[in-house]
Amino acid sequence: QSALTQPPSASGSPGQSVTISCTGTSSDVGRYNFVSWYQQHPGKAPKLMIYEVNQRPSGVPDRFSGSKSGNTASLTVSGLQAEDEADYYCSSYAGSNSFVFGTGTKVAVL
Amino acid sequence: QLQLVEFGGGVVQPGRSLRLSCAASGFTLSTYGMHWVRQAPGKGLEWVAVISRDGSERYYADSVKGRFTISRDNSMYTLYLQMNSLKTEDTAVYYCAKEYFPGVGANGYFDYWGQGTLVTVSS
């Protein structure tokens, strides 16, 4: 149950796009499509942004999109807005009824 | 309005026990699997445990297996986490979180979270 690997930080100017990677193994991200992404603002609980690799819950803007290739999942935020500045975490099913989160990425809107 | 509210955090000495509660409202608790997720101060999220909608299946992270027990009382709309033999590395904000989809299996999609309760393990 090792944490999935994410870059510590990412940034972009308003209106630009930023992509965050989430690298796991063939036992988690690579094996299952149960990948989700969460946004967390300081002092707040996380919010589900993407589930099942690329599905958006109701109410999440279509500026947020997800994808997966091999052992790496990605979250892209297009048309960056100031309110997108937050920490982002990926998560995956890891088999044997266990789950694992990513190390987290701090996104800055310059 | 769906709501999850955690209770029971506090300061506890290493080796001692603590029980967290999570009061659920605004949805039918018995329809959903439920999880506990924790976050050490300034650190990332860590999945802790999951319980099936009827409580018959429970699974744990290796880091807490044998020390923590997740349980639920659907009639009381409450989720619990019994934490025994606490270690300093268990210090974290503990969140209860609801599965996005109803049903038997857990997919690990957490669509509602509580505000969290801080557990500090220190002598």
Side-chain angles (χ1 to χ4, degrees):
Chain A
Q1 294 178 345
S2 298
L4 308 174
T5 300
Q6 298 180 232
S9 63
S11 63
S13 300
Q16 289 187 332
S17 294
V18 64
T19 297
I20 304 165
S21 62
C22 168
T23 302
T25 70
S26 58
S27 298
D28 39 59
V29 175
R31 176 170 292 185
Y32 306 102
N33 284 331
F34 299 132
V35 175
S36 52
W37 288 89
Y38 301 85
Q39 176 191 66
Q40 186 180 33
H41 288 108
K44 301 294 187 181
K47 175 185 177 183
L48 178 64
M49 305 302 286
I50 295 286
Y51 67 94
E52 206 167 282
V53 176
N54 56 16
Q55 301 299 302
R56 278 187 309 278
S58 174
V60 173
D62 60 6
R63 303 185 291 104
F64 292 86
S65 62
S67 63
K68 190 185 89 166
S69 177
N71 296 340
T72 299
S74 299
L75 173 72
T76 297
V77 185
S78 305
L80 267 175
Q81 299 183 4
E83 59 262 35
D84 300 332
E85 186 161 293
D87 293 329
Y88 291 83
Y89 294 91
C90 61
S91 177
S92 174
Y93 180 65
S96 301
N97 294 287
S98 69
F99 303 89
V100 61
F101 281 96
T103 51
T105 299
K106 183 177 293 293
V107 170
V109 181
L110 304 175
Chain B
Q1 180 88 3
L2 193 152
Q3 196 171 16
L4 297 170
V5 180
E6 300 94 341
F7 300 96
V11 180
V12 60
Q13 293 179 327
R16 304 298 291 267
S17 299
L18 201 62
R19 187 175 84 156
L20 306 182
S21 302
C22 169
S25 60
F27 69 106
T28 304
L29 181 63
S30 60
T31 305
Y32 295 89
M34 296 292 294
H35 299 253
W36 286 97
V37 176
R38 68 185 181 183
Q39 186 169 33
K43 302 298 184 181
L45 301 170
E46 180 186 13
W47 175 77
V48 172
V50 60
I51 186 168
S52 61
R53 57 184 181 176
D54 64 356
S56 62
E57 297 181 55
R58 316 174 193 199
Y59 302 98
Y60 302 90
D62 288 344
S63 57
V64 307
K65 200 172 295 183
R67 300 188 299 121
F68 288 13
T69 302
I70 187 172
S71 62
R72 64 193 296 162
D73 185 336
N74 288 335
S75 66
M76 296 293 290
Y77 272 74
T78 304
L79 177 73
Y80 301 100
L81 185 67
Q82 177 67 43
M83 304 185 294
N84 298 332
S85 303
L86 280 161
K87 305 176 181 181
T88 55
E89 52 263 41
D90 295 320
T91 294
V93 172
Y94 285 74
Y95 296 99
C96 62
K98 169 188 164 292
E99 272 277 332
Y100 186 34
F101 290 113
V104 178
N107 295 325
Y109 306 145
F110 316 112
D111 65 336
Y112 280 91
W113 300 62
Q115 84 290 348
T117 187
L118 177 62
V119 173
T120 302
V121 184
S122 173
S123 54

